[in-house]
Amino acid sequence: GRALLILLLSATVSLLGGLIFGYELGIISGALLQLQIDFHLSCFKQEVLVSALLIGALLASLVGGILIDHHGRRRAILVSSLVLLVGSLILTLARSFIGLVIGRMTVGFAISVSSMACCIYVSEMVAAHQRGLLVSLYEAGITVGILLSYALNYIFADVDEGWRYMFGLAIAPTAMQFLSILFLPVNPVKLSSWDSDCQKGLIQLQNTEDRETAKREPYKEKHYSFLDLFRTRDNMRRRTLVGLGLVLFQQFTGQPNVLGYASKIFHSVGFQSNSSAILASVGLGAIKVVATLIAMAFADKAGRRVLLMAGCVVMAISVTTIGLTSCIAPLAMARDCKAAADPNASHSLTQHPLMPVSSQPAVSPILPALGAGKSQAGPGFAATRSLAKAFASTQSREVVPDSSLTQKRVLIGQAKEETVGSTGPPFGGAPWVEHTVLNWITLLSMMAFVSAFSIGFGPMTWLVLSEIYPAGIRGRAFAFCNSFNWAANLLISLSFLDLIDAIGFSGMFLLYGLMGVMAVIFIYLFVPETKGQSLEEVDQQFSRKR
């Protein structure tokens, strides 16, 4: 009975951790629609507000590992829950722009620590044959959290100061997570009473040999220093190569930017009215949820390597297809925030200075995936804009493609939507009918890309990272790789315009396809299969020289 209770509570902690992460990433898109009016936010201030979460998360990935290793995973989750409660309260009660930025940074710090601690804690709490399912539950939580944020953005869009409710509602799942973790035991790796826990069924180690190894583990693991990650001791350098390779390929296959093209692709296949765009946006989120559930079901059956490689192959084919079709049928380029706000622009910001959200029928806050058409080819594209954008799909665990842009251009967006609605095809002068088939191929490719990411890189990267390091350095190693993940996401987003200028839109997608092929080769050569093995067996497998 106790083992079942612990299993259920571990699942709850994992799911809620992911749910909060996804919710906080998604909710800003709708909140900013109101915040820009209530606080008269310029484009730059909106970018700062969106980037604040990224900065907080980066800070957390630098110090969070020490907290997780030295004070235990359970305590790290408790602390991150408390910090998140504080951040949510700051946001809910904020009266100034500075208050909002501090609140978002606090929230970013908390969700980053929580994301690392949850994955590691759950991977150590459960039996080898359940580990894939329960760690992948975190990724499923993220996708559900994002869909939930879309829905709440929509519900509170017309409510006066609705953004306070949006930010405040994060308090409920955070409090639930805090209470759930209170009933779970201290992380077993930190216990000296390994044997009694194994007998209680708390940790179902596979055989007596594992139990003996596990009993010895706390003593032999305590001596790892951070620099051991780069040494040959216990093959740590190879483990670090695997961890960094996975997080970097996860980003360099183009995930942050491909999703940002959702709106353009939806418009090109004819999703021009607001309601159909909402439907397409939610549809993309729903595809991601379904794909993540498939990954959960197969993580412990098919194995991590198989899902990673299969996902990479499909992603490579999808982005290559998008690249080739865009050679023949170029996608229309939307205007940038600053370009559109230019007084000479036909639909300028100044024409709709402080229109209340309720009177903006053409733009829905539920459109982070679609109203967020990218505009990197626009004249006023600034590096700071892409800094903010980097946040959108950061951790790359999310479908919040470019959520930051919906908000930034909501007022222009309204005028733009009306224009698009009245002019028929989304790009003037293009042979609309001829390109319809190609546009549908592009749309299906993007859906395949989202599904493949959610089956492979999305959940599996974090699952493998929580398994391959020895217990004594697991927190710091996970945090180290995590910081590279945030940094790579930022780099991909910042270099986007330069890439477009240098090699063109289709060339960039073909480059992502090439990176996908390289990722498959990397996984085949370096990433071991860890399904069905206890964490101790995984450690032994790595410690043997290869």
Side-chain angles (χ1 to χ4, degrees):
R2 180 149 187 246
L4 180 65
L5 177 68
I6 282 168
L7 192 68
L8 289 172
L9 283 173
S10 297
T12 306
V13 167
S14 187
L15 186 65
L16 286 172
L19 185 89
I20 297 161
F21 193 104
Y23 182 82
E24 291 291 0
L25 283 172
I27 202 67
I28 190 71
S29 57
L32 260 177
L33 299 180
Q34 298 184 354
L35 289 170
Q36 65 179 357
I37 292 167
D38 291 357
F39 289 90
H40 310 295
L41 300 182
S42 63
C43 280
F44 176 72
K45 281 189 171 180
Q46 291 177 53
E47 287 162 354
V48 169
L49 187 54
V50 171
S51 309
L53 186 126
L54 174 65
I55 294 161
L58 258 172
L59 287 173
S61 63
L62 298 175
V63 299
I66 300 165
L67 173 69
I68 293 166
D69 275 343
H70 292 294
H71 299 284
R73 288 70 158 132
R74 179 176 177 269
R75 195 172 292 168
I77 299 173
L78 286 171
V79 169
S80 70
S81 297
L82 290 174
V83 173
L84 190 58
L85 287 170
V86 171
S88 298
L89 283 171
I90 293 172
L91 284 168
T92 309
L93 306 172
R95 295 269 165 220
S96 67
F97 173 68
I98 299 295
L100 289 170
V101 171
I102 292 169
R104 285 300 281 177
M105 280 183 74
T106 310
V107 164
F109 187 93
I111 61 174
S112 182
V113 172
S114 171
S115 71
M116 297 184 287
C118 281
C119 289
I120 294 172
Y121 185 81
V122 171
S123 75
E124 291 172 346
M125 283 305 298
V126 298
H129 64 278
Q130 297 160 329
R131 200 168 56 235
L133 174 72
L134 286 172
V135 177
S136 302
L137 200 58
Y138 186 89
E139 177 77 13
I142 290 173
T143 55
V144 172
I146 289 165
L147 276 179
L148 180 67
S149 70
Y150 286 6
L152 290 172
N153 281 345
Y154 189 63
I155 291 166
F156 290 112
D158 299 333
V159 177
D160 189 39
E161 293 205 330
W163 56 270
R164 294 192 190 275
Y165 300 103
M166 294 179 197
F167 289 137
L169 281 169
I171 292 171
T174 309
M176 283 168 65
Q177 189 190 33
F178 185 83
L179 292 172
S180 300
I181 197 97
L182 286 178
F183 293 103
L184 278 165
V186 177
N187 189 346
V189 169
K190 298 292 169 198
L191 289 176
S192 54
S193 55
W194 263 100
D195 217 30
S196 58
D197 280 326
C198 294
Q199 283 157 5
K200 285 178 205 159
L202 211 134
I203 312 127
Q204 302 154 13
L205 292 175
Q206 291 176 318
N207 53 42
T208 48
E209 189 189 334
D210 284 345
R211 198 166 295 148
E212 289 305 313
T213 313
K215 271 198 289 185
R216 288 197 307 273
E217 187 170 317
Y219 305 106
K220 77 174 188 204
E221 296 298 359
K222 278 180 182 167
H223 306 297
Y224 284 107
S225 74
F226 179 73
L227 290 175
D228 283 331
L229 283 174
F230 312 102
R231 293 181 180 139
T232 50
R233 175 189 173 188
D234 286 342
N235 238 351
M236 290 297 286
R237 195 181 292 165
R238 179 162 171 259
R239 301 181 204 224
T240 306
L241 171 74
V242 170
L244 286 181
L246 284 174
V247 295
L248 292 176
F249 274 120
Q250 187 190 50
Q251 295 296 332
F252 291 151
T253 44
Q255 198 268 160
N257 288 333
V258 172
L259 290 176
Y261 267 88
S263 62
K264 222 180 255 57
I265 291 168
F266 284 128
H267 272 281
S268 69
V269 296
F271 287 104
Q272 281 161 34
S273 76
N274 195 37
S275 54
S276 63
I278 291 172
L279 194 67
S281 171
V282 175
L284 204 60
I287 288 170
K288 193 167 167 67
V289 173
V290 171
T292 309
L293 292 175
I294 292 169
M296 281 171 56
F298 287 101
D300 291 313
K301 293 187 179 74
R304 288 70 157 141
R305 256 171 76 88
V306 173
L307 290 180
L308 275 168
M309 287 171 70
C312 272
V313 168
V314 175
M315 282 167 71
I317 293 169
S318 305
V319 285
T320 304
T321 307
I322 294 173
L324 293 173
T325 53
S326 64
C327 283
I328 308 164
L331 292 171
M333 288 291 173
R335 286 172 301 179
D336 181 52
C337 177
K338 293 177 178 59
D342 184 334
N344 303 324
S346 56
H347 292 287
S348 132
L349 246 180
T350 50
Q351 291 175 329
H352 310 277
L354 289 173
M355 190 179 290
V357 172
S358 54
S359 64
Q360 294 178 8
V363 170
S364 162
I366 205 170
L367 290 183
L370 298 129
K374 275 208 180 55
S375 49
Q376 289 73 358
F381 183 82
T384 43
R385 195 216 60 74
S386 44
L387 176 76
K389 184 225 146 210
F391 138 90
S393 46
T394 212
Q395 248 349 53
S396 74
R397 302 157 118 183
E398 336 349 346
V399 179
V400 199
D402 228 345
S403 55
S404 57
L405 286 175
T406 312
Q407 317 80 285
K408 285 193 233 153
R409 300 203 314 273
V410 60
L411 296 173
I412 307 98
Q414 181 201 10
K416 201 166 148 50
E417 283 270 1
E418 289 163 0
T419 317
V420 166
S422 62
T423 56
F427 31 82
W432 171 243
V433 181
E434 286 175 35
H435 289 160
T436 304
V437 175
L438 287 174
N439 289 329
W440 276 101
I441 291 171
T442 307
L443 176 67
L444 292 172
S445 298
M446 197 182 69
M447 289 178 165
F449 183 90
V450 171
S451 307
F453 183 84
S454 302
I455 286 172
F457 269 138
M460 293 306 133
T461 300
W462 310 104
L463 175 55
V464 172
L465 277 183
S466 65
E467 294 174 328
I468 61 175
Y469 293 103
I473 197 172
R474 199 170 282 141
R476 282 164 292 169
F478 199 103
F480 175 71
C481 293
N482 202 18
S483 61
F484 270 82
N485 185 58
W486 293 91
N489 190 293
L490 193 55
L491 176 71
I492 290 286
S493 307
L494 288 172
S495 63
F496 190 83
L497 181 64
D498 297 329
L499 266 177
I500 288 260
D501 286 343
I503 57 176
F505 175 76
S506 52
M508 188 195 63
F509 274 78
L510 294 173
L511 181 66
Y512 290 152
L514 180 66
M515 294 304 286
V517 174
M518 288 167 66
V520 174
I521 296 166
F522 172 82
I523 293 161
Y524 180 77
L525 293 177
F526 294 108
V527 180
E529 184 51 77
T530 54
K531 69 167 179 177
Q533 298 178 346
S534 69
L535 293 175
E536 293 70 39
E537 285 176 320
V538 175
D539 190 20
Q540 286 164 8
Q541 180 185 346
F542 262 105
S543 295
R544 287 194 292 271
K545 291 275 178 266
R546 180 175 167 188

